[in-house]
Amino acid sequence: MRLILLGPPGAGKGTQAQRIVEKHGLPQLSTGDMLRAAILAETEVGKRVKAVLDSGKLVSDDIVIAIVSERIDQPDCANGFILDGFPRTLVQADATEAMLAAKGIDLSVVIELRVNDKELVRRVSGRYSCASCGSVYHDTDHKPGVEGVCDKCGSTHFKRRPDDNAETMTQRLEVYYKETSPLIGYYYAKGKLKSVDGMAEMDVVTSQIEAILADL
Ligand code: AMP
């Protein structure tokens, strides 16, 4: 199964991808996570993209296409993968098609998560994660069971993404509507698009996604 999760920042792509990972054992390929890891490791790519991520703009197509192309050649992607946050432009979508065609494989489905802007800003502004294992929490929607202790790994260190603030979010949403939302039509025309109501409860969204995957 090779699927793409499409949607604006804060739509729940990462959360739902994690659930698909757990249920189906597919690797989650998040370009945002890969870029943040490169920044943390201070690689050449990391140094080049740091300011771009902080501003909420998009990293150049060449950089992300090269990262994904290398990643999907890894053995753990042989039986499928979840693309989370990629493709984000029409150039990236065409490159994805070319990458898959070169391997003789097809895209299974593109799942679009629909959430309104007000809710996206609310979700992103309250988002934080465990500094050790990356589990994601929210100030009001999803707190750890024991205050200040990660449910998953027990760490007491948490962090917030520098781009998860209302100001940068305005830029990220603008970029989404201009550069990424055209992919909705692109995949609809190819008969690959399925949309789910991302405003619903997290578990309900998961059930909607599972129903789509069961139909493949
Ligand atoms: P995300 O974690 O998906 O919200 O991505 C965080 C940031 O990483 C974005 O605001 C972009 O600056 C960059 N980024 C992630 N994925 C891509 C992509 N496919 N194309 C360009 N930039 C990306």
Side-chain angles (χ1 to χ4, degrees):
M1 208 156 45
R2 284 159 295 270
L3 53 118
I4 292 175
L5 292 180
L6 186 64
K13 302 185 298 292
T15 301
Q16 297 299 333
Q18 263 310 307
R19 293 179 171 202
I20 302 170
V21 168
E22 278 156 29
K23 175 134 198 235
H24 299 272
L26 296 173
Q28 172 191 8
L29 277 46
S30 156
T31 39
D33 284 350
M34 293 184 222
L35 292 166
R36 281 184 289 277
I39 292 171
L40 209 65
E42 298 183 343
T43 64
E44 275 315 304
V45 167
K47 286 179 197 156
R48 279 169 64 191
V49 303
K50 183 176 182 327
V52 183
L53 265 80
D54 286 347
S55 74
K57 296 199 176 116
L58 290 185
V59 169
S60 78
D61 288 328
D62 291 354
I63 291 182
V64 282
I65 290 167
I67 291 178
V68 172
S69 163
E70 206 174 287
R71 182 65 186 85
I72 62 174
D73 278 339
Q74 302 299 312
D76 64 330
C77 292
N79 293 324
F81 45 79
I82 310 155
L83 287 172
D84 160 12
F86 181 95
R88 243 173 163 106
T89 64
L90 289 168
V91 171
Q92 293 176 22
D94 281 339
T96 306
E97 192 160 281
M99 272 184 240
L100 297 183
K103 293 177 183 299
I105 50 182
D106 200 15
L107 191 63
S108 312
V109 68
V110 177
I111 301 178
E112 180 212 359
L113 299 172
R114 290 194 176 165
V115 177
N116 72 40
D117 288 5
K118 195 172 162 211
E119 174 65 4
L120 293 170
V121 174
R122 196 193 68 78
R123 287 186 189 178
V124 163
S125 311
R127 179 159 76 177
Y128 62 98
S129 64
C130 170
S132 291
C133 73
S135 291
V136 179
Y137 297 96
H138 187 276
D139 290 330
T140 52
D141 299 2
H142 176 45
K143 299 185 199 176
V146 177
E147 180 99 38
V149 183
C150 176
D151 292 342
K152 199 164 173 193
C153 75
S155 166
T156 52
H157 296 286
F158 296 88
K159 59 182 182 185
R160 283 181 199 264
R161 280 170 50 174
D163 57 344
D164 275 354
N165 59 73
E167 218 169 90
T168 312
M169 190 54 182
T170 307
Q171 169 74 29
R172 289 162 71 196
L173 284 176
E174 218 169 272
V175 169
Y176 175 78
Y177 290 115
K178 187 159 173 252
E179 306 281 353
T180 311
S181 67
L183 301 191
I184 296 169
Y186 177 97
Y187 287 117
Y188 176 80
K190 290 178 186 294
K192 294 288 179 195
L193 189 78
K194 299 277 180 199
S195 297
V196 302
D197 174 15
M199 295 289 288
E201 286 279 311
M202 244 193 282
D203 290 349
V204 175
V205 178
T206 305
S207 310
Q208 291 178 47
I209 292 175
E210 281 309 319
I212 291 168
L213 300 183
D215 253 7
L216 292 176

